[in-house]
PDB file of all heavy atoms in Angstrom:
ATOM      1  N   ASP A  21       0.824  -1.224   0.002  1.00  0.00           N
ATOM      2  CA  ASP A  21      -0.010   0.009  -0.004  1.00  0.00           C
ATOM      3  C   ASP A  21       0.849   1.269   0.012  1.00  0.00           C
ATOM      4  O   ASP A  21       0.593   2.205   0.774  1.00  0.00           O
ATOM      5  CB  ASP A  21      -0.981   0.008   1.202  1.00  0.00           C
ATOM      6  CG  ASP A  21      -2.001  -1.101   1.129  1.00  0.00           C
ATOM      7  OD1 ASP A  21      -2.355  -1.485   0.006  1.00  0.00           O
ATOM      8  OD2 ASP A  21      -2.387  -1.621   2.173  1.00  0.00           O
ATOM      9  N   ILE A  22       1.837   1.293  -0.850  1.00  0.00           N
ATOM     10  CA  ILE A  22       2.670   2.474  -1.048  1.00  0.00           C
ATOM     11  C   ILE A  22       2.715   2.807  -2.527  1.00  0.00           C
ATOM     12  O   ILE A  22       2.934   1.924  -3.337  1.00  0.00           O
ATOM     13  CB  ILE A  22       4.107   2.293  -0.513  1.00  0.00           C
ATOM     14  CG1 ILE A  22       4.100   2.054   0.981  1.00  0.00           C
ATOM     15  CG2 ILE A  22       4.979   3.523  -0.833  1.00  0.00           C
ATOM     16  CD1 ILE A  22       5.474   1.735   1.576  1.00  0.00           C
ATOM     17  N   VAL A  23       2.486   4.070  -2.875  1.00  0.00           N
ATOM     18  CA  VAL A  23       2.664   4.521  -4.244  1.00  0.00           C
ATOM     19  C   VAL A  23       4.045   5.173  -4.343  1.00  0.00           C
ATOM     20  O   VAL A  23       4.424   5.999  -3.496  1.00  0.00           O
ATOM     21  CB  VAL A  23       1.593   5.590  -4.622  1.00  0.00           C
ATOM     22  CG1 VAL A  23       1.833   6.128  -6.007  1.00  0.00           C
ATOM     23  CG2 VAL A  23       0.202   4.967  -4.529  1.00  0.00           C
ATOM     24  N   ARG A  24       4.797   4.768  -5.354  1.00  0.00           N
ATOM     25  CA  ARG A  24       6.133   5.338  -5.571  1.00  0.00           C
ATOM     26  C   ARG A  24       6.216   5.937  -6.941  1.00  0.00           C
ATOM     27  O   ARG A  24       5.539   5.505  -7.877  1.00  0.00           O
ATOM     28  CB  ARG A  24       7.187   4.230  -5.462  1.00  0.00           C
ATOM     29  CG  ARG A  24       7.447   3.704  -4.064  1.00  0.00           C
ATOM     30  CD  ARG A  24       8.565   2.643  -4.105  1.00  0.00           C
ATOM     31  NE  ARG A  24       9.017   2.285  -2.822  1.00  0.00           N
ATOM     32  CZ  ARG A  24       8.445   1.312  -2.047  1.00  0.00           C
ATOM     33  NH1 ARG A  24       7.393   0.673  -2.540  1.00  0.00           N
ATOM     34  NH2 ARG A  24       8.901   1.032  -0.868  1.00  0.00           N
ATOM     35  N   ALA A  25       7.060   6.955  -7.051  1.00  0.00           N
ATOM     36  CA  ALA A  25       7.393   7.501  -8.353  1.00  0.00           C
ATOM     37  C   ALA A  25       8.913   7.483  -8.528  1.00  0.00           C
ATOM     38  O   ALA A  25       9.663   7.777  -7.583  1.00  0.00           O
ATOM     39  CB  ALA A  25       6.880   8.918  -8.496  1.00  0.00           C
ATOM     40  N   LYS A  26       9.352   7.096  -9.723  1.00  0.00           N
ATOM     41  CA  LYS A  26      10.786   7.118 -10.054  1.00  0.00           C
ATOM     42  C   LYS A  26      10.982   7.998 -11.270  1.00  0.00           C
ATOM     43  O   LYS A  26      10.146   8.058 -12.149  1.00  0.00           O
ATOM     44  CB  LYS A  26      11.291   5.699 -10.376  1.00  0.00           C
ATOM     45  CG  LYS A  26      11.338   4.753  -9.176  1.00  0.00           C
ATOM     46  CD  LYS A  26      12.216   3.525  -9.481  1.00  0.00           C
ATOM     47  CE  LYS A  26      11.736   2.757 -10.685  1.00  0.00           C
ATOM     48  NZ  LYS A  26      12.570   1.532 -10.917  1.00  0.00           N
ATOM     49  N   ALA A  27      12.128   8.658 -11.308  1.00  0.00           N
ATOM     50  CA  ALA A  27      12.539   9.416 -12.484  1.00  0.00           C
ATOM     51  C   ALA A  27      13.977   9.095 -12.781  1.00  0.00           C
ATOM     52  O   ALA A  27      14.859   9.252 -11.936  1.00  0.00           O
ATOM     53  CB  ALA A  27      12.385  10.922 -12.236  1.00  0.00           C
ATOM     54  N   GLY A  28      14.235   8.538 -13.972  1.00  0.00           N
ATOM     55  CA  GLY A  28      15.603   8.137 -14.332  1.00  0.00           C
ATOM     56  C   GLY A  28      16.171   7.087 -13.418  1.00  0.00           C
ATOM     57  O   GLY A  28      17.389   7.080 -13.170  1.00  0.00           O
ATOM     58  N   GLY A  29      15.320   6.208 -12.863  1.00  0.00           N
ATOM     59  CA  GLY A  29      15.771   5.147 -11.966  1.00  0.00           C
ATOM     60  C   GLY A  29      15.906   5.586 -10.502  1.00  0.00           C
ATOM     61  O   GLY A  29      16.197   4.732  -9.652  1.00  0.00           O
ATOM     62  N   GLN A  30      15.692   6.832 -10.191  1.00  0.00           N
ATOM     63  CA  GLN A  30      15.803   7.348  -8.829  1.00  0.00           C
ATOM     64  C   GLN A  30      14.449   7.503  -8.175  1.00  0.00           C
ATOM     65  O   GLN A  30      13.555   8.143  -8.748  1.00  0.00           O
ATOM     66  CB  GLN A  30      16.524   8.711  -8.843  1.00  0.00           C
ATOM     67  CG  GLN A  30      16.522   9.458  -7.526  1.00  0.00           C
ATOM     68  CD  GLN A  30      17.346   8.788  -6.469  1.00  0.00           C
ATOM     69  OE1 GLN A  30      18.530   8.599  -6.675  1.00  0.00           O
ATOM     70  NE2 GLN A  30      16.729   8.444  -5.341  1.00  0.00           N
ATOM     71  N   ASP A  31      14.232   6.903  -6.990  1.00  0.00           N
ATOM     72  CA  ASP A  31      13.002   7.136  -6.266  1.00  0.00           C
ATOM     73  C   ASP A  31      12.884   8.613  -5.922  1.00  0.00           C
ATOM     74  O   ASP A  31      13.822   9.194  -5.333  1.00  0.00           O
ATOM     75  CB  ASP A  31      12.956   6.306  -4.985  1.00  0.00           C
ATOM     76  CG  ASP A  31      12.627   4.833  -5.214  1.00  0.00           C
ATOM     77  OD1 ASP A  31      12.338   4.500  -6.384  1.00  0.00           O
ATOM     78  OD2 ASP A  31      12.660   4.053  -4.253  1.00  0.00           O
ATOM     79  N   VAL A  32      11.745   9.254  -6.264  1.00  0.00           N
ATOM     80  CA  VAL A  32      11.567  10.665  -5.989  1.00  0.00           C
ATOM     81  C   VAL A  32      10.349  10.969  -5.132  1.00  0.00           C
ATOM     82  O   VAL A  32      10.259  12.074  -4.571  1.00  0.00           O
ATOM     83  CB  VAL A  32      11.511  11.480  -7.303  1.00  0.00           C
ATOM     84  CG1 VAL A  32      12.806  11.409  -8.071  1.00  0.00           C
ATOM     85  CG2 VAL A  32      10.333  11.019  -8.168  1.00  0.00           C
ATOM     86  N   PHE A  33       9.439  10.027  -5.010  1.00  0.00           N
ATOM     87  CA  PHE A  33       8.187  10.285  -4.292  1.00  0.00           C
ATOM     88  C   PHE A  33       7.659   9.001  -3.680  1.00  0.00           C
ATOM     89  O   PHE A  33       7.664   7.950  -4.305  1.00  0.00           O
ATOM     90  CB  PHE A  33       7.132  10.853  -5.255  1.00  0.00           C
ATOM     91  CG  PHE A  33       5.745  10.962  -4.649  1.00  0.00           C
ATOM     92  CD1 PHE A  33       5.386  12.107  -3.945  1.00  0.00           C
ATOM     93  CD2 PHE A  33       4.816   9.949  -4.789  1.00  0.00           C
ATOM     94  CE1 PHE A  33       4.106  12.213  -3.397  1.00  0.00           C
ATOM     95  CE2 PHE A  33       3.545  10.044  -4.236  1.00  0.00           C
ATOM     96  CZ  PHE A  33       3.185  11.176  -3.554  1.00  0.00           C
ATOM     97  N   TYR A  34       7.232   9.083  -2.397  1.00  0.00           N
ATOM     98  CA  TYR A  34       6.491   7.977  -1.735  1.00  0.00           C
ATOM     99  C   TYR A  34       5.159   8.539  -1.235  1.00  0.00           C
ATOM    100  O   TYR A  34       5.125   9.623  -0.643  1.00  0.00           O
ATOM    101  CB  TYR A  34       7.234   7.415  -0.544  1.00  0.00           C
ATOM    102  CG  TYR A  34       8.573   6.769  -0.825  1.00  0.00           C
ATOM    103  CD1 TYR A  34       9.534   6.651   0.200  1.00  0.00           C
ATOM    104  CD2 TYR A  34       8.898   6.280  -2.065  1.00  0.00           C
ATOM    105  CE1 TYR A  34      10.764   6.059  -0.045  1.00  0.00           C
ATOM    106  CE2 TYR A  34      10.107   5.688  -2.325  1.00  0.00           C
ATOM    107  CZ  TYR A  34      11.055   5.568  -1.308  1.00  0.00           C
ATOM    108  OH  TYR A  34      12.289   4.988  -1.529  1.00  0.00           O
ATOM    109  N   GLY A  35       4.084   7.808  -1.490  1.00  0.00           N
ATOM    110  CA  GLY A  35       2.796   8.142  -0.925  1.00  0.00           C
ATOM    111  C   GLY A  35       2.274   6.984  -0.076  1.00  0.00           C
ATOM    112  O   GLY A  35       2.225   5.840  -0.554  1.00  0.00           O
ATOM    113  N   TYR A  36       1.966   7.237   1.195  1.00  0.00           N
ATOM    114  CA  TYR A  36       1.626   6.202   2.127  1.00  0.00           C
ATOM    115  C   TYR A  36       0.105   6.135   2.382  1.00  0.00           C
ATOM    116  O   TYR A  36      -0.606   7.118   2.105  1.00  0.00           O
ATOM    117  CB  TYR A  36       2.348   6.425   3.460  1.00  0.00           C
ATOM    118  CG  TYR A  36       3.856   6.422   3.343  1.00  0.00           C
ATOM    119  CD1 TYR A  36       4.547   7.606   3.212  1.00  0.00           C
ATOM    120  CD2 TYR A  36       4.562   5.235   3.334  1.00  0.00           C
ATOM    121  CE1 TYR A  36       5.927   7.636   3.082  1.00  0.00           C
ATOM    122  CE2 TYR A  36       5.946   5.228   3.210  1.00  0.00           C
ATOM    123  CZ  TYR A  36       6.622   6.445   3.088  1.00  0.00           C
ATOM    124  OH  TYR A  36       8.001   6.443   2.950  1.00  0.00           O
ATOM    125  N   ASN A  37      -0.363   5.015   2.905  1.00  0.00           N
ATOM    126  CA  ASN A  37      -1.807   4.833   3.038  1.00  0.00           C
ATOM    127  C   ASN A  37      -2.410   5.617   4.202  1.00  0.00           C
ATOM    128  O   ASN A  37      -3.621   5.602   4.395  1.00  0.00           O
ATOM    129  CB  ASN A  37      -2.139   3.345   3.196  1.00  0.00           C
ATOM    130  CG  ASN A  37      -1.523   2.686   4.428  1.00  0.00           C
ATOM    131  OD1 ASN A  37      -0.844   3.376   5.200  1.00  0.00           O
ATOM    132  ND2 ASN A  37      -1.746   1.408   4.606  1.00  0.00           N
ATOM    133  N   ASP A  38      -1.601   6.332   4.961  1.00  0.00           N
ATOM    134  CA  ASP A  38      -2.140   7.227   5.989  1.00  0.00           C
ATOM    135  C   ASP A  38      -2.233   8.658   5.494  1.00  0.00           C
ATOM    136  O   ASP A  38      -2.556   9.572   6.265  1.00  0.00           O
ATOM    137  CB  ASP A  38      -1.266   7.184   7.261  1.00  0.00           C
ATOM    138  CG  ASP A  38       0.196   7.465   7.013  1.00  0.00           C
ATOM    139  OD1 ASP A  38       0.537   7.859   5.874  1.00  0.00           O
ATOM    140  OD2 ASP A  38       1.020   7.249   7.908  1.00  0.00           O
ATOM    141  N   GLY A  39      -1.960   8.872   4.198  1.00  0.00           N
ATOM    142  CA  GLY A  39      -2.073  10.201   3.618  1.00  0.00           C
ATOM    143  C   GLY A  39      -0.784  11.018   3.657  1.00  0.00           C
ATOM    144  O   GLY A  39      -0.730  12.092   3.087  1.00  0.00           O
ATOM    145  N   ILE A  40       0.246  10.496   4.303  1.00  0.00           N
ATOM    146  CA  ILE A  40       1.535  11.188   4.346  1.00  0.00           C
ATOM    147  C   ILE A  40       2.301  10.899   3.062  1.00  0.00           C
ATOM    148  O   ILE A  40       2.268   9.776   2.545  1.00  0.00           O
ATOM    149  CB  ILE A  40       2.348  10.712   5.590  1.00  0.00           C
ATOM    150  CG1 ILE A  40       1.654  11.135   6.863  1.00  0.00           C
ATOM    151  CG2 ILE A  40       3.755  11.292   5.523  1.00  0.00           C
ATOM    152  CD1 ILE A  40       2.286  10.570   8.109  1.00  0.00           C
ATOM    153  N   PHE A  41       2.947  11.932   2.505  1.00  0.00           N
ATOM    154  CA  PHE A  41       3.802  11.700   1.346  1.00  0.00           C
ATOM    155  C   PHE A  41       5.199  12.227   1.607  1.00  0.00           C
ATOM    156  O   PHE A  41       5.410  13.076   2.477  1.00  0.00           O
ATOM    157  CB  PHE A  41       3.207  12.335   0.088  1.00  0.00           C
ATOM    158  CG  PHE A  41       3.180  13.837   0.073  1.00  0.00           C
ATOM    159  CD1 PHE A  41       4.247  14.575  -0.396  1.00  0.00           C
ATOM    160  CD2 PHE A  41       2.058  14.507   0.530  1.00  0.00           C
ATOM    161  CE1 PHE A  41       4.247  15.949  -0.399  1.00  0.00           C
ATOM    162  CE2 PHE A  41       1.997  15.889   0.511  1.00  0.00           C
ATOM    163  CZ  PHE A  41       3.105  16.618   0.051  1.00  0.00           C
ATOM    164  N   GLU A  42       6.144  11.708   0.872  1.00  0.00           N
ATOM    165  CA  GLU A  42       7.561  12.001   1.076  1.00  0.00           C
ATOM    166  C   GLU A  42       8.211  12.303  -0.256  1.00  0.00           C
ATOM    167  O   GLU A  42       8.136  11.489  -1.189  1.00  0.00           O
ATOM    168  CB  GLU A  42       8.256  10.833   1.737  1.00  0.00           C
ATOM    169  CG  GLU A  42       9.725  10.997   1.989  1.00  0.00           C
ATOM    170  CD  GLU A  42      10.346   9.757   2.636  1.00  0.00           C
ATOM    171  OE1 GLU A  42       9.610   8.825   2.987  1.00  0.00           O
ATOM    172  OE2 GLU A  42      11.569   9.733   2.773  1.00  0.00           O
ATOM    173  N   LEU A  43       8.836  13.504  -0.368  1.00  0.00           N
ATOM    174  CA  LEU A  43       9.649  13.824  -1.530  1.00  0.00           C
ATOM    175  C   LEU A  43      11.082  13.403  -1.188  1.00  0.00           C
ATOM    176  O   LEU A  43      11.787  14.078  -0.444  1.00  0.00           O
ATOM    177  CB  LEU A  43       9.568  15.319  -1.826  1.00  0.00           C
ATOM    178  CG  LEU A  43       8.163  15.846  -2.153  1.00  0.00           C
ATOM    179  CD1 LEU A  43       8.174  17.372  -2.316  1.00  0.00           C
ATOM    180  CD2 LEU A  43       7.601  15.176  -3.400  1.00  0.00           C
ATOM    181  N   VAL A  44      11.480  12.274  -1.709  1.00  0.00           N
ATOM    182  CA  VAL A  44      12.663  11.588  -1.228  1.00  0.00           C
ATOM    183  C   VAL A  44      13.935  12.386  -1.402  1.00  0.00           C
ATOM    184  O   VAL A  44      14.810  12.388  -0.527  1.00  0.00           O
ATOM    185  CB  VAL A  44      12.803  10.229  -1.961  1.00  0.00           C
ATOM    186  CG1 VAL A  44      13.978   9.434  -1.426  1.00  0.00           C
ATOM    187  CG2 VAL A  44      11.523   9.401  -1.832  1.00  0.00           C
ATOM    188  N   LYS A  45      14.057  13.107  -2.480  1.00  0.00           N
ATOM    189  CA  LYS A  45      15.285  13.869  -2.763  1.00  0.00           C
ATOM    190  C   LYS A  45      15.062  15.351  -2.848  1.00  0.00           C
ATOM    191  O   LYS A  45      15.793  16.070  -3.537  1.00  0.00           O
ATOM    192  CB  LYS A  45      15.908  13.357  -4.073  1.00  0.00           C
ATOM    193  CG  LYS A  45      16.320  11.887  -4.052  1.00  0.00           C
ATOM    194  CD  LYS A  45      17.521  11.641  -3.165  1.00  0.00           C
ATOM    195  CE  LYS A  45      18.801  12.179  -3.782  1.00  0.00           C
ATOM    196  NZ  LYS A  45      19.990  11.871  -2.966  1.00  0.00           N
ATOM    197  N   GLN A  46      14.044  15.858  -2.142  1.00  0.00           N
ATOM    198  CA  GLN A  46      13.749  17.284  -2.209  1.00  0.00           C
ATOM    199  C   GLN A  46      14.948  18.098  -1.686  1.00  0.00           C
ATOM    200  O   GLN A  46      15.587  17.757  -0.686  1.00  0.00           O
ATOM    201  CB  GLN A  46      12.498  17.610  -1.378  1.00  0.00           C
ATOM    202  CG  GLN A  46      12.114  19.079  -1.368  1.00  0.00           C
ATOM    203  CD  GLN A  46      11.658  19.560  -2.707  1.00  0.00           C
ATOM    204  OE1 GLN A  46      12.423  19.547  -3.639  1.00  0.00           O
ATOM    205  NE2 GLN A  46      10.419  20.051  -2.808  1.00  0.00           N
ATOM    206  N   SER A  47      15.229  19.183  -2.372  1.00  0.00           N
ATOM    207  CA  SER A  47      16.341  20.050  -2.037  1.00  0.00           C
ATOM    208  C   SER A  47      16.226  20.592  -0.628  1.00  0.00           C
ATOM    209  O   SER A  47      15.163  21.068  -0.222  1.00  0.00           O
ATOM    210  CB  SER A  47      16.399  21.208  -3.044  1.00  0.00           C
ATOM    211  OG  SER A  47      17.385  22.124  -2.711  1.00  0.00           O
ATOM    212  N   GLY A  48      17.293  20.572   0.122  1.00  0.00           N
ATOM    213  CA  GLY A  48      17.295  21.157   1.480  1.00  0.00           C
ATOM    214  C   GLY A  48      18.586  20.857   2.216  1.00  0.00           C
ATOM    215  O   GLY A  48      19.284  19.868   1.920  1.00  0.00           O
ATOM    216  N   ALA A  49      18.918  21.732   3.189  1.00  0.00           N
ATOM    217  CA  ALA A  49      20.125  21.549   3.936  1.00  0.00           C
ATOM    218  C   ALA A  49      20.034  22.290   5.274  1.00  0.00           C
ATOM    219  O   ALA A  49      19.297  23.280   5.389  1.00  0.00           O
ATOM    220  CB  ALA A  49      21.362  22.065   3.171  1.00  0.00           C
ATOM    221  N   SER A  50      20.780  21.788   6.255  1.00  0.00           N
ATOM    222  CA  SER A  50      20.951  22.489   7.527  1.00  0.00           C
ATOM    223  C   SER A  50      22.427  22.784   7.692  1.00  0.00           C
ATOM    224  O   SER A  50      23.263  21.886   7.828  1.00  0.00           O
ATOM    225  CB  SER A  50      20.484  21.601   8.676  1.00  0.00           C
ATOM    226  OG  SER A  50      20.751  22.183   9.920  1.00  0.00           O
ATOM    227  N   MET A  51      22.751  24.070   7.617  1.00  0.00           N
ATOM    228  CA  MET A  51      24.154  24.525   7.645  1.00  0.00           C
ATOM    229  C   MET A  51      24.602  24.892   9.068  1.00  0.00           C
ATOM    230  O   MET A  51      23.818  25.411   9.844  1.00  0.00           O
ATOM    231  CB  MET A  51      24.311  25.720   6.711  1.00  0.00           C
ATOM    232  CG  MET A  51      23.827  25.477   5.285  1.00  0.00           C
ATOM    233  SD  MET A  51      23.609  26.998   4.305  1.00  0.00           S
ATOM    234  CE  MET A  51      25.289  27.619   4.249  1.00  0.00           C
ATOM    235  N   LYS A  52      25.846  24.621   9.368  1.00  0.00           N
ATOM    236  CA  LYS A  52      26.367  24.940  10.691  1.00  0.00           C
ATOM    237  C   LYS A  52      27.822  25.396  10.559  1.00  0.00           C
ATOM    238  O   LYS A  52      28.456  25.288   9.491  1.00  0.00           O
ATOM    239  CB  LYS A  52      26.264  23.747  11.623  1.00  0.00           C
ATOM    240  CG  LYS A  52      27.125  22.545  11.217  1.00  0.00           C
ATOM    241  CD  LYS A  52      26.925  21.389  12.208  1.00  0.00           C
ATOM    242  CE  LYS A  52      27.779  20.197  11.851  1.00  0.00           C
ATOM    243  NZ  LYS A  52      27.579  19.073  12.816  1.00  0.00           N
ATOM    244  N   MET A  53      28.375  25.892  11.689  1.00  0.00           N
ATOM    245  CA  MET A  53      29.751  26.345  11.737  1.00  0.00           C
ATOM    246  C   MET A  53      30.566  25.356  12.563  1.00  0.00           C
ATOM    247  O   MET A  53      30.124  24.862  13.591  1.00  0.00           O
ATOM    248  CB  MET A  53      29.824  27.752  12.319  1.00  0.00           C
ATOM    249  CG  MET A  53      28.961  28.785  11.614  1.00  0.00           C
ATOM    250  SD  MET A  53      29.271  30.479  12.203  1.00  0.00           S
ATOM    251  CE  MET A  53      29.041  30.322  13.950  1.00  0.00           C
ATOM    252  N   SER A  54      31.792  25.107  12.144  1.00  0.00           N
ATOM    253  CA  SER A  54      32.644  24.172  12.852  1.00  0.00           C
ATOM    254  C   SER A  54      33.275  24.764  14.108  1.00  0.00           C
ATOM    255  O   SER A  54      33.819  24.049  14.957  1.00  0.00           O
ATOM    256  CB  SER A  54      33.745  23.625  11.938  1.00  0.00           C
ATOM    257  OG  SER A  54      34.548  24.661  11.459  1.00  0.00           O
ATOM    258  N   ALA A  55      33.248  26.089  14.237  1.00  0.00           N
ATOM    259  CA  ALA A  55      33.831  26.745  15.414  1.00  0.00           C
ATOM    260  C   ALA A  55      33.116  28.094  15.632  1.00  0.00           C
ATOM    261  O   ALA A  55      32.442  28.587  14.738  1.00  0.00           O
ATOM    262  CB  ALA A  55      35.333  27.005  15.193  1.00  0.00           C
ATOM    263  N   ASN A  56      33.254  28.631  16.822  1.00  0.00           N
ATOM    264  CA  ASN A  56      32.746  29.992  17.058  1.00  0.00           C
ATOM    265  C   ASN A  56      33.403  30.976  16.092  1.00  0.00           C
ATOM    266  O   ASN A  56      34.535  30.773  15.648  1.00  0.00           O
ATOM    267  CB  ASN A  56      33.054  30.434  18.508  1.00  0.00           C
ATOM    268  CG  ASN A  56      32.278  29.634  19.526  1.00  0.00           C
ATOM    269  OD1 ASN A  56      31.349  28.901  19.193  1.00  0.00           O
ATOM    270  ND2 ASN A  56      32.680  29.777  20.791  1.00  0.00           N
ATOM    271  N   GLN A  57      32.668  32.039  15.762  1.00  0.00           N
ATOM    272  CA  GLN A  57      33.194  33.041  14.844  1.00  0.00           C
ATOM    273  C   GLN A  57      33.158  34.428  15.479  1.00  0.00           C
ATOM    274  O   GLN A  57      32.137  34.838  16.024  1.00  0.00           O
ATOM    275  CB  GLN A  57      32.392  33.055  13.542  1.00  0.00           C
ATOM    276  CG  GLN A  57      32.889  34.049  12.516  1.00  0.00           C
ATOM    277  CD  GLN A  57      32.107  33.992  11.241  1.00  0.00           C
ATOM    278  OE1 GLN A  57      31.155  33.217  11.086  1.00  0.00           O
ATOM    279  NE2 GLN A  57      32.464  34.858  10.271  1.00  0.00           N
ATOM    280  N   THR A  58      34.266  35.126  15.406  1.00  0.00           N
ATOM    281  CA  THR A  58      34.361  36.483  15.973  1.00  0.00           C
ATOM    282  C   THR A  58      33.726  37.504  15.014  1.00  0.00           C
ATOM    283  O   THR A  58      34.075  37.521  13.815  1.00  0.00           O
ATOM    284  CB  THR A  58      35.807  36.885  16.236  1.00  0.00           C
ATOM    285  OG1 THR A  58      36.349  35.964  17.215  1.00  0.00           O
ATOM    286  CG2 THR A  58      35.904  38.279  16.784  1.00  0.00           C
ATOM    287  N   ILE A  59      32.809  38.300  15.534  1.00  0.00           N
ATOM    288  CA  ILE A  59      32.210  39.411  14.787  1.00  0.00           C
ATOM    289  C   ILE A  59      32.726  40.704  15.376  1.00  0.00           C
ATOM    290  O   ILE A  59      32.485  41.015  16.562  1.00  0.00           O
ATOM    291  CB  ILE A  59      30.666  39.356  14.849  1.00  0.00           C
ATOM    292  CG1 ILE A  59      30.134  37.969  14.485  1.00  0.00           C
ATOM    293  CG2 ILE A  59      30.080  40.460  13.970  1.00  0.00           C
ATOM    294  CD1 ILE A  59      30.470  37.529  13.063  1.00  0.00           C
ATOM    295  N   GLN A  60      33.448  41.475  14.620  1.00  0.00           N
ATOM    296  CA  GLN A  60      33.998  42.748  15.113  1.00  0.00           C
ATOM    297  C   GLN A  60      32.882  43.763  15.319  1.00  0.00           C
ATOM    298  O   GLN A  60      31.824  43.713  14.672  1.00  0.00           O
ATOM    299  CB  GLN A  60      35.047  43.290  14.134  1.00  0.00           C
ATOM    300  CG  GLN A  60      36.273  42.415  14.002  1.00  0.00           C
ATOM    301  CD  GLN A  60      37.258  42.984  13.017  1.00  0.00           C
ATOM    302  OE1 GLN A  60      37.015  44.018  12.375  1.00  0.00           O
ATOM    303  NE2 GLN A  60      38.407  42.324  12.884  1.00  0.00           N
ATOM    304  N   ASN A  61      33.141  44.701  16.202  1.00  0.00           N
ATOM    305  CA  ASN A  61      32.184  45.762  16.458  1.00  0.00           C
ATOM    306  C   ASN A  61      31.925  46.594  15.201  1.00  0.00           C
ATOM    307  O   ASN A  61      32.860  47.014  14.522  1.00  0.00           O
ATOM    308  CB  ASN A  61      32.735  46.667  17.571  1.00  0.00           C
ATOM    309  CG  ASN A  61      31.715  47.703  18.026  1.00  0.00           C
ATOM    310  OD1 ASN A  61      30.604  47.369  18.412  1.00  0.00           O
ATOM    311  ND2 ASN A  61      32.136  48.977  17.987  1.00  0.00           N
ATOM    312  N   THR A  62      30.647  46.771  14.836  1.00  0.00           N
ATOM    313  CA  THR A  62      30.166  47.582  13.726  1.00  0.00           C
ATOM    314  C   THR A  62      30.726  47.145  12.370  1.00  0.00           C
ATOM    315  O   THR A  62      30.923  47.967  11.476  1.00  0.00           O
ATOM    316  CB  THR A  62      30.437  49.083  13.943  1.00  0.00           C
ATOM    317  OG1 THR A  62      31.840  49.321  13.882  1.00  0.00           O
ATOM    318  CG2 THR A  62      29.878  49.574  15.262  1.00  0.00           C
ATOM    319  N   VAL A  63      30.986  45.850  12.189  1.00  0.00           N
ATOM    320  CA  VAL A  63      31.478  45.339  10.896  1.00  0.00           C
ATOM    321  C   VAL A  63      30.567  44.188  10.441  1.00  0.00           C
ATOM    322  O   VAL A  63      30.456  43.180  11.124  1.00  0.00           O
ATOM    323  CB  VAL A  63      32.938  44.830  11.025  1.00  0.00           C
ATOM    324  CG1 VAL A  63      33.392  44.226   9.694  1.00  0.00           C
ATOM    325  CG2 VAL A  63      33.863  45.952  11.437  1.00  0.00           C
ATOM    326  N   TRP A  64      29.918  44.400   9.277  1.00  0.00           N
ATOM    327  CA  TRP A  64      29.143  43.297   8.727  1.00  0.00           C
ATOM    328  C   TRP A  64      30.070  42.165   8.341  1.00  0.00           C
ATOM    329  O   TRP A  64      31.074  42.365   7.662  1.00  0.00           O
ATOM    330  CB  TRP A  64      28.369  43.749   7.490  1.00  0.00           C
ATOM    331  CG  TRP A  64      27.074  44.455   7.794  1.00  0.00           C
ATOM    332  CD1 TRP A  64      26.806  45.776   7.686  1.00  0.00           C
ATOM    333  CD2 TRP A  64      25.874  43.818   8.274  1.00  0.00           C
ATOM    334  NE1 TRP A  64      25.506  46.047   8.060  1.00  0.00           N
ATOM    335  CE2 TRP A  64      24.893  44.861   8.415  1.00  0.00           C
ATOM    336  CE3 TRP A  64      25.500  42.516   8.584  1.00  0.00           C
ATOM    337  CZ2 TRP A  64      23.607  44.602   8.857  1.00  0.00           C
ATOM    338  CZ3 TRP A  64      24.215  42.274   9.016  1.00  0.00           C
ATOM    339  CH2 TRP A  64      23.276  43.295   9.152  1.00  0.00           C
TER     340      TRP A  64
END
C-alpha cells in the first residue's frame, strides 16, 4: 500500500496509506559552523 514515483531510476516520491507523502530527494540543507566566529564591532 505504497505509491512510488521514479525518475531516471531514482525514487523521488512515496505516498503512504495514511495520507503522508515524502519527496525523497527534495532540495534542502541544515548549515552549521565548525567553530565559534568572531564578529567585530560595527562590521558586517
Side-chain angles (χ1 to χ4, degrees):
D21 295 329
I22 297 176
V23 176
R24 288 182 171 86
K26 291 196 302 183
Q30 170 68 58
D31 282 356
V32 295
F33 172 87
Y34 297 158
Y36 300 96
N37 62 1
D38 54 10
I40 295 173
F41 67 89
E42 178 181 356
L43 300 175
V44 183
K45 298 290 288 183
Q46 180 66 300
S47 175
S50 174
M51 305 165 64
K52 65 181 180 180
M53 304 189 307
S54 61
N56 293 347
Q57 181 179 359
T58 298
I59 309 298
Q60 296 178 357
N61 186 56
T62 68
V63 177
W64 278 107

